[in-house]
Amino acid sequence: MLFDFKLSTPEEGLVDITNEVTEAIMESGVLEGLCVIFCPHTTAAITINENADPDVKADFVLGMDRSFPELSAFRHAEGNSDAHIKSSTIGASETIIIAGGKPLLGTWQNIYFCEFDGPRTRKFYVKIMGG
Ligand code: ZN
């Protein structure tokens, strides 16, 4: 079963999509299986990270900016090579185990859509497989 979602993103940052993924799993009726969350964009990504302290999200953005700064030596004319590099570094998808009809996540884990070149209207897919 394939679900697609739209979201409005900030200039840069993590958008919590755990509720959307959980709702898709519940709607699918799958109790045991796997779930793939996929981002079809080249300047965004999907990740799992801490849900408790919101400062983690801010530090994530700061850390990514420091690790992958925009360089004048970049050749890509669109001027967002840093966002392309961040996208590939974090990755376009996450695979999650479905157990008991819910995503199997650690206590401190949530699922995030990462925006590196916003604000934009984005989408992501959730593919749910039972068994
Ligand atoms: Zn580009």
Side-chain angles (χ1 to χ4, degrees), residues 76 78 80 84:
H76 178 48
E78 195 184 7
N80 60 354
H84 288 295

Side-chain angles (χ1 to χ4, degrees), residues 3 20 22:
F3 297 82
E20 286 88 337
T22 302

